[in-house]
Amino acid sequence: MKYSPTLNFINGKFIASASNRNMEIISPIDGNVLSVVSLSTAEDLDNAVQAAKAAFRAWSSTPIKERVQVFYRYKTLLRKERKELATLCSEENGKTFTESLAEIDKCIELTEFACSLPQLVTGEFLEVSKGIECRTEHVPLGVVASIVPFNFPAMVPNWTIPNAIALGNCMIIKPSEKVPMSCGRMAVLLKEAGLPDGVFNIINGDVEIVEAICDHPGIEAVSFVGSTKVAKAVYKRATGNYKRCLALGGAKNHLMVLPDAKPEMTAQNVAASMSGCAGQRCMAASAMLAVGDVDHIIEKICDEARKIIPGENLGAVISKEAKERIEKYITEAEQQGAKILVDGRTTIVKGKENGYYVGPTVIDFVKPDMAVAKEEIFGPVISIMRTKNIDEALAIENSSTYGNAASVFTQNGGAARYIIEKASAGMIGVNVGVPVPREPFSFGGWNESKFGVGDITGKSSIEFWTKLKKSTVKWNPEAGINWMS
Ligand code: NAD
C-alpha cells in the first residue's frame, strides 16, 4: 500500500472513523492498492456536523472580504502544489497527468471566482418612502454538505468548496469512496491557507453516509454531483427532509455534425471530447448525429481516434467493472447491427497489464433505440447516428431523458442559431466539443441531468449557498412618518 489510510477530517484534524467497514482505494492505472478508506458511520457524520456548527458563528460573522483572503492563499497553494496534486489525482482516478494538470488549473479558476464574490454579493438598497429604507443582503445558510463523484477528484469538490465557504457556510464534503485522497490534500491546503478549524470537514463513506447527510437535521443544504439514479434518490430524500438540494446527474451529450463543418477541426474536437478523461466526463460527446453526408468527416474522426494511445494520451477507466460494462455496450451494439469503425475492446497497455484501459471506440450506423444511443456509457466511445436533416437530428437529441450538453459543428450561423434555440440541453457548444461555461458563467444541465433550481457554479451558485435577508428601517420614527409617506 503506497499511502497511509485515508482518514476523515473533522475540526481541523485527520481522525479515524468509528466504522469497521473499509474499502481499498485501487489505482486504475495498474490495479495496485494505493490506500484504504473507512466507510464512516452516522456517528462520525454527527461529530463533523457539531464541529461545523461550532465554527459557523465566528466564520459567518467574519466579513466576506476577510473570508476570501483564505481563498487567495489557497489559490497560491494550489498553484504551488499543482504537480503533486495532479500526480495524486491521476493515481487515484486513472486519468493522464496532462488531464490532471488541467483539472488542477480548473480548481484555480474556480477559486479565483470565489475571490471575486465580494464584488458580486453586494445587496440592494432603496429609500422606499421618506425616511424609510429597505435593503437586502445574502446571508449564509449554516452547515452545508457536498457529495461528489469519482470522475473529477479535485475539480468537482472545488465547484462547491470555495463558493460555499467564502459565502460564510461551514461544509461537510463526502468524496467518492473510489477517489478520496485528493480531497484530503485540499483539507491540508485549506488549513495552511488559514481556514479556521471546523469550517471544512471530510466524511468518507458510501451510501450509508449519503443517506445520513440527507437525514441529519443540522445540515441545511445538500449539493450532489453523480449519476442520475443517485441524484434522484438524494434530491428526494434531502428535500423530503425540507433541505435545500441541488443534484446534478448523468448525461448523454449529442454532437451534431453538419456537412459544411470544417473537417480537421471537427474531427479533432469530436475525438477529444469522446475520449478525454477516458470518456468519463459528464460533458463528453457520447452520441454523434451525422446530418446528411459527412462521411469525409467520419473518416477523419476515425483517423484522430487511432492517434489516441491508451496509457499515453488516454487514461484508464475507473474500475474493472467499468471496463467490462463499456465493452459490453460495444459488443451489444455490434450484435444489434451497428458497425465498429474503431474498436477499443481488449486493450492491454504494456507494463500496465492490470490497468483498466479501454481504447477509443467509434461505432457507426447506431439506431436511436439502441442502448449505446440512449444510455450513458461513460467510456471513450462515440455512437454515430445517421440523420437526413437538422430536424431529425434535433428530434433524437430532444428525446433524450438527459440534457447536460449538446454541440453543433457547422460554418452556418443560421443553422447554429436554430440548434442553440431548439436543443434540449443546459449547455450548448458551437464548434466546441466540451462546452463547459467558464467562470463567471454557471455550470448546470437540464432535464434528468439536474434536479433543483439554479446552477452549481458561477454567479448562480450564490442563490443556492445563501438566503436573502430583507430589512426595512425607519431611522427617524419621532417624525411620525408612516410607511406610506
Ligand atoms: P455515483 O452516482 O455512483 O456516485 C456519486 C456519489 O454518490 C458518490 O459520492 C457515491 O459514494 C454516492 N453514491 C453512490 N451510490 C449511492 C447510492 N445508492 N445512494 C447514495 N449515494 C450513493 O456517480 P459516480 O459513478 O461517482 O460518477 C459518475 C457519474 O457522475 C456519471 O453519471 C456522470 O455523468 C456524473 N457526473 C455528473 C456531473 C454533472 O455535472 N452533471 C459531473 C460529474 C459527474
Side-chain angles (χ1 to χ4, degrees):
M1 202 162 77
K2 181 169 176 187
Y3 296 101
S4 55
T6 300
L7 302 174
N8 289 336
F9 185 76
I10 301 176
N11 208 17
K13 289 179 197 66
F14 284 101
I15 297 178
S17 159
S19 161
N20 51 12
R21 289 197 306 134
N22 296 312
M23 206 179 112
E24 285 180 333
I25 304 162
I26 296 172
S27 177
I29 294 172
D30 50 19
N32 288 340
V33 178
L34 292 171
S35 174
V36 65
V37 64
S38 290
L39 303 174
S40 306
T41 63
E43 196 189 326
D44 296 317
L45 175 69
D46 190 52
N47 290 338
V49 174
Q50 298 318 325
K53 262 187 168 175
F56 180 66
R57 186 181 280 266
W59 183 245
S60 58
S61 52
T62 303
I64 187 166
K65 287 186 87 158
E66 216 174 292
R67 288 196 300 251
V68 298
Q69 297 310 314
V70 170
F71 290 97
Y72 279 108
R73 294 189 289 269
Y74 176 62
K75 184 202 137 166
T76 306
L77 293 169
L78 286 173
R79 188 164 292 291
K80 195 170 134 216
E81 278 215 10
R82 184 172 172 262
K83 287 189 180 151
E84 292 78 2
L85 287 166
T87 303
L88 191 60
C89 182
S90 285
E91 277 182 306
E92 62 178 349
N93 172 276
K95 63 182 69 178
T96 66
F97 184 62
T98 308
E99 288 167 345
S100 290
L101 284 176
E103 176 161 354
I104 306 306
D105 289 344
K106 185 67 196 176
C107 296
I108 293 169
E109 185 178 46
L110 290 159
T111 307
E112 282 169 354
F113 174 77
C115 292
S116 76
L117 281 168
Q119 278 62 252
L120 299 173
V121 290
T122 49
E124 292 179 318
F125 168 90
L126 185 71
E127 186 181 43
V128 289
S129 301
K130 194 67 210 149
I132 299 180
E133 297 164 356
C134 281
R135 72 170 192 172
T136 60
E137 58 194 304
H138 289 275
V139 300
L141 303 175
V143 179
V144 299
S146 173
I147 302 161
V148 290
F150 80 80
N151 61 331
F152 285 94
M155 182 190 78
V156 174
N158 280 287
W159 278 359
T160 59
I161 299 168
N163 291 351
I165 294 180
L167 289 165
N169 300 288
C170 291
M171 173 175 275
I172 291 159
I173 197 160
K174 207 296 283 173
S176 163
E177 61 276 38
K178 293 171 187 150
V179 297
M181 293 189 299
S182 294
C183 248
R185 204 56 216 150
M186 303 293 163
V188 173
L189 299 189
L190 285 165
K191 187 165 171 133
E192 209 179 317
L195 192 69
D197 290 350
V199 176
F200 176 70
N201 306 275
I202 303 174
I203 292 292
N204 290 298
D206 58 2
V207 47
E208 194 178 315
I209 215 73
V210 172
E211 290 179 348
I213 286 173
C214 295
D215 294 346
H216 199 296
I219 296 175
E220 304 298 328
V222 177
S223 76
F224 172 89
V225 181
S227 61
T228 290
K229 184 169 153 247
V230 184
K232 280 183 178 174
V234 167
Y235 187 77
K236 201 169 173 183
R237 194 158 179 151
T239 56
N241 284 316
Y242 310 109
K243 294 184 199 311
R244 197 178 274 205
C245 184
L246 184 60
L248 273 60
K252 185 81 189 173
N253 305 314
H254 296 78
L255 289 182
M256 290 169 227
V257 175
L258 274 50
D260 70 342
K262 290 205 164 158
E264 300 287 341
M265 182 272 288
T266 303
Q268 283 163 9
N269 273 270
V270 173
S273 179
M274 56 85 99
S275 69
C277 298
Q280 300 175 124
R281 282 193 288 209
C282 65
M283 295 294 282
S286 175
M288 178 179 139
L289 298 162
V291 180
D293 182 8
V294 294
D295 282 357
H296 59 298
I297 302 177
I298 292 173
E299 237 171 73
K300 284 198 185 302
I301 291 171
C302 293
D303 292 343
E304 289 297 326
R306 287 187 195 99
K307 289 185 205 161
I308 299 166
I309 312 296
E312 284 180 27
N313 53 357
L314 178 68
V317 297
I318 190 68
S319 62
K320 186 166 174 284
E321 295 72 42
K323 177 175 160 67
E324 286 166 4
R325 186 196 67 236
I326 297 161
E327 290 176 348
K328 188 162 168 256
Y329 269 116
I330 304 167
T331 303
E332 272 175 16
E334 189 175 37
Q335 285 164 352
Q336 288 163 0
K339 196 170 169 200
I340 316 294
L341 301 182
V342 181
D343 193 347
R345 289 171 291 183
T346 66
T347 294
I348 291 175
V349 174
K350 211 160 166 244
K352 292 170 187 158
E353 286 77 3
N354 293 326
Y356 313 130
Y357 289 91
V358 180
T361 300
V362 181
I363 314 177
D364 201 359
F365 301 106
V366 168
K367 297 282 174 240
D369 60 347
M370 291 181 186
V372 288
K374 293 188 296 189
E375 294 170 19
E376 183 175 39
I377 302 171
F378 228 48
V381 180
I382 193 143
S383 307
I384 302 176
M385 284 170 267
R386 303 291 186 131
T387 62
K388 286 196 257 338
N389 53 45
I390 292 174
D391 284 323
E392 194 187 328
L394 276 168
I396 294 171
E397 192 279 337
N398 285 182
S399 70
S400 174
T401 54
Y402 297 107
N404 222 34
S407 281
V408 56
F409 285 84
T410 182
Q411 294 304 303
N412 180 333
R417 184 69 195 83
Y418 184 69
I419 288 164
I420 291 175
E421 192 185 320
K422 302 287 180 198
S424 180
M427 294 171 278
I428 312 289
V430 176
N431 298 320
V432 173
V434 185
V436 174
R438 299 275 302 266
E439 286 16 76
F441 297 94
S442 64
F443 185 101
W446 285 4
N447 310 329
E448 295 206 345
S449 291
K450 192 189 73 185
F451 303 91
V453 177
D455 286 334
I456 200 160
T457 65
K459 287 184 199 167
S460 181
S461 71
I462 297 170
E463 298 308 319
F464 184 70
W465 295 121
T466 61
K467 52 192 174 188
L468 217 51
K469 181 169 273 183
K470 287 76 62 179
S471 29
T472 305
V473 181
K474 190 196 264 185
W475 285 115
N476 51 350
E478 66 287 352
I481 300 164
N482 72 38
W483 73 278
M484 293 290 284
S485 61

